[in-house]
Amino acid sequence: MSKRRRRAQKTFEKVPVVDAGARGKSVAKTAAGEVIFLTDAVPGDVVDITTFKKRKSFYEGKVVHFHERSSRRTTPVCKHYAECGGCKWQEMAYQDQLYFKQKEVIENLTRIGHLDLPSIDPILGSDQQYYYRNKMEFSFSASRWLTLEEIQSDQQIEDKKALGFHIPGMWDKILHLDECHLHPAIGERIRLSVHAFAKANEISYYAPREKSGTLRTLMLRISSTGDVMVVIQFFEDHQAHRTELLEHLKNEFPEIKSLQYIINEKANDTIYDQEVICYYGNDFIMEQMENLQFKISAKSFYQTNSQQAYELYKVTRDFAGLDGSQTVYDLYTGTGTIAQFVAGQAKKVIGIESVPQAIEDAKANALYNKVDNAEFFVGDMKDVFTSDFIDEHGKPDVVITDPPRDGMHKDVVAQLIQLAAPRIVYVSCNSATQARDLSLLDDIYKVVKVRPVDMFPQTHHVENVVLLELKK
């Protein structure tokens, strides 16, 4: 064992777990002030810890013994919780999840952003704490991940096929799922039926190291209207097996409105550069929000929690304070859902997005919804959102910005400062980068409202909406 490895391995006894940290990890702190990040503990636990990694100011470790179990604990509902890693907070009661999510938002805005905050509205929790995802992606594997108990047993394991999720951090290891509590029941039935049919008919599963096998990925999209889309990605194109499986799904599940497939022989399984072939039904399903309907294709972006997306957009629209007279810019508009959602209360909406397919979807949906006061433009935000663009399309009264996790480019922030729109509504899926951006805007804007929204129960992820107004 290397000296570096020995230094990282230390044992700490009876350490209290005091907080929930970034990326779903819990924080333990020794009496001497040493900080240890854990993945298998809940604030309030008292534990013995063995560390496996040493950083400059903290350790990473695992629990080897519990002395006390936290009152915040609850029993995970999923049998795969320990191995899967998809719902890391299942062991924590939902009200406590909300508490720590709001706490993280406040700490990021104050510690990173150094912002003076108003009284913050309570985090908006989700009525659905399970079965809320409208999109799920599963991978096939010819050789599934084996649990430690299976490896240590004398049992001969004949069936190694898997349909499930990647083990965290392992690109070629798939955990087979007998159950999943993230998507609606129809999705569960379809996934289990695909697996059973493929096994019974000896359809091969993908082996990533050997680059062989037929079945590669399964995507399920289930809209709030009840429409179901199934997209199966094949590596090797065995027409007979492909047709058998697709016909099985077509006949067994009348709920399927869109049945599509992809033949993908490249190294990675991303579909955005692949042709999606419609086998049955339409090449889209429909989502609905108030009086708006959105066509969702296999490659479309749409918030993966339909019910909470509606709540998030209502908060955004409320913060925008529209009365029908304002020009609104919607930066990072995606498929234009927020733009169209607020358009009924605006004079004009301008949406900007870097992904061409998303802008095509936005224009098509606006046409379908008869939203004639919204225009959409494609290009890198820092290159499109310029003074010349603003001169051409008019100065906004309100800017809504919903950037990716990395936040806004510094040139976009600089343009917002130069623009000095009366009001900015900043929607973020990463309050740390949001805080960084808000600190840059702090010279001319004040934070007026803050409302966290929980889009992903059982996980550490949290959305946050901030209203900024020009300082007087």
Side-chain angles (χ1 to χ4, degrees):
M1 184 181 295
S2 68
K3 291 183 179 179
R4 183 176 180 182
R5 178 72 173 172
R6 285 198 300 270
R7 283 199 301 269
Q9 283 191 328
K10 297 184 69 174
T11 299
F12 297 92
E13 296 182 346
K14 293 187 177 181
V15 184
V17 182
V18 297
D19 203 354
R23 299 182 181 178
K25 295 184 178 181
S26 293
V27 182
K29 195 169 186 179
T30 70
E34 294 154 306
V35 173
I36 310 161
F37 286 102
L38 306 168
T39 58
D40 45 4
V42 169
D45 289 337
V46 179
V47 297
D48 293 344
I49 301 167
T50 295
T51 63
F52 54 81
K53 191 173 289 186
K54 176 72 170 74
R55 302 292 191 182
K56 183 177 181 180
S57 58
F58 62 87
Y59 291 92
E60 293 183 47
K62 63 179 181 179
V63 175
V64 293
H65 179 71
F66 286 89
H67 291 278
E68 297 178 27
R69 292 185 183 265
S70 173
S71 61
R72 301 181 189 272
R73 280 189 169 273
T74 189
T75 303
V77 302
C78 182
K79 65 182 287 186
H80 302 295
Y81 168 76
E83 292 85 21
C84 179
C87 304
K88 294 180 181 178
W89 278 14
Q90 266 193 61
E91 284 190 310
M92 194 189 304
Y94 186 56
Q95 288 305 312
D96 292 308
Q97 294 179 30
L98 296 179
Y99 168 80
F100 284 108
K101 290 183 183 191
Q102 176 141 345
K103 183 173 181 286
E104 177 186 305
V105 167
I106 295 171
E107 287 182 349
N108 282 339
L109 295 185
T110 54
R111 181 175 53 83
I112 298 174
H114 305 289
L115 302 168
D116 292 325
L117 299 180
S119 176
I120 294 178
D121 292 331
I123 185 171
L124 188 57
S126 174
D127 289 340
Q128 289 181 293
Q129 294 161 31
Y130 292 96
Y131 312 112
Y132 58 82
R133 286 189 65 101
N134 58 38
K135 179 184 178 184
M136 298 289 289
E137 297 179 83
F138 304 97
S139 295
F140 295 88
S141 175
S143 181
R144 67 177 175 85
W145 173 262
L146 300 179
T147 65
L148 182 61
E149 290 77 13
E150 288 175 320
I151 293 171
Q152 293 176 343
S153 73
D154 295 330
Q155 179 185 358
Q156 187 69 25
I157 299 171
E158 301 292 342
D159 178 22
K160 292 187 178 181
K161 288 183 175 179
L163 175 55
F165 293 144
H166 286 268
I167 294 291
M170 298 186 181
W171 65 273
D172 62 336
K173 303 297 184 185
I174 304 297
L175 173 70
H176 178 69
L177 299 178
D178 295 318
E179 62 184 43
C180 181
H181 298 265
L182 283 175
H183 60 164
I186 180 62
E188 185 85 335
R189 299 205 316 269
I190 291 172
R191 177 177 55 81
L192 294 174
S193 181
V194 167
H195 182 59
F197 185 88
K199 284 175 59 180
N201 291 272
E202 298 183 345
I203 304 176
S204 62
Y205 285 21
Y206 184 59
R209 291 189 179 276
E210 293 77 14
K211 294 183 173 56
S212 64
T214 300
L215 291 169
R216 193 166 188 180
T217 66
L218 169 67
M219 179 200 295
L220 301 172
R221 303 191 82 145
I222 304 164
S223 73
S224 59
T225 64
D227 287 357
V228 177
M229 174 187 290
V230 178
V231 182
I232 298 179
Q233 190 171 180
F234 299 89
F235 181 71
E236 295 173 353
D237 184 15
H238 293 295
Q239 183 176 357
H241 281 161
R242 168 164 48 85
T243 302
E244 287 172 359
L245 178 56
L246 295 173
E247 280 295 310
H248 164 74
L249 290 172
K250 172 185 170 184
N251 295 327
E252 190 75 14
F253 296 99
E255 299 92 340
I256 295 175
K257 305 299 182 186
S258 175
L259 182 56
Q260 303 183 71
Y261 70 93
I262 299 165
I263 308 298
N264 180 4
E265 297 177 337
K266 62 186 176 70
N268 64 64
D269 59 14
T270 57
I271 71 170
Y272 294 97
D273 58 351
Q274 299 293 294
E275 179 186 9
V276 184
I277 302 166
C278 186
Y279 182 82
Y280 167 75
N282 298 314
D283 61 359
F284 62 88
I285 57 175
M286 298 302 300
E287 265 291 357
Q288 186 162 349
M289 193 175 289
E290 292 186 347
N291 62 335
L292 299 171
Q293 291 186 307
F294 300 101
K295 288 184 177 181
I296 308 297
S297 69
K299 298 180 182 180
S300 291
F301 171 79
Y302 192 81
Q303 290 280 1
T304 52
N305 184 337
S306 300
Q307 179 177 313
Q308 281 298 90
Y310 180 41
E311 299 301 326
L312 179 73
Y313 292 174
K314 284 193 292 184
V315 172
T316 303
R317 185 173 61 188
D318 175 63
F319 279 18
L322 304 175
D323 61 16
S325 65
Q326 295 95 341
T327 294
V328 179
Y329 277 31
D330 183 26
L331 310 185
Y332 311 93
T333 191
T335 54
T337 47
I338 290 179
Q340 293 176 64
F341 190 75
V342 305
Q345 297 181 12
K347 179 182 178 181
K348 179 171 72 171
V349 182
I350 302 294
I352 306 172
E353 169 61 45
S354 64
V355 180
Q357 180 63 52
I359 288 297
E360 289 179 23
D361 289 343
K363 291 179 177 178
N365 283 320
L367 185 64
Y368 185 84
N369 287 310
K370 297 182 172 57
V371 176
D372 56 9
N373 64 333
E375 297 180 77
F376 297 97
F377 301 88
V378 66
D380 190 294
M381 189 63 60
K382 70 180 187 308
D383 298 328
V384 175
F385 183 55
T386 63
S387 297
D388 288 344
F389 182 90
I390 294 163
D391 289 342
E392 181 179 353
H393 297 284
K395 181 177 178 178
D397 304 289
V398 179
V399 174
I400 298 172
T401 181
D402 185 6
R405 290 193 63 80
D406 289 343
M408 295 189 290
H409 190 278
K410 59 181 178 60
D411 291 350
V412 176
V413 177
Q415 183 61 61
L416 286 173
I417 293 171
Q418 180 180 335
L419 175 62
R423 181 171 289 194
I424 297 175
V425 182
Y426 191 146
V427 184
S428 174
C429 60
N430 184 346
S431 59
T433 55
Q434 182 185 46
R436 178 204 66 203
D437 293 344
L438 294 178
S439 70
L440 298 175
L441 295 165
D442 191 49
D443 284 345
I444 66 168
Y445 283 98
K446 64 178 179 179
V447 176
V448 178
K449 292 182 180 180
V450 179
R451 188 75 192 267
V453 180
D454 184 24
M455 300 287 288
F456 303 104
Q458 318 310 327
T459 79
H460 66 283
H461 298 289
V462 59
E463 298 269 336
N464 191 46
V465 189
V466 173
L467 171 61
L468 302 170
E469 290 183 352
L470 280 174
K471 292 178 178 179
K472 295 179 181 179

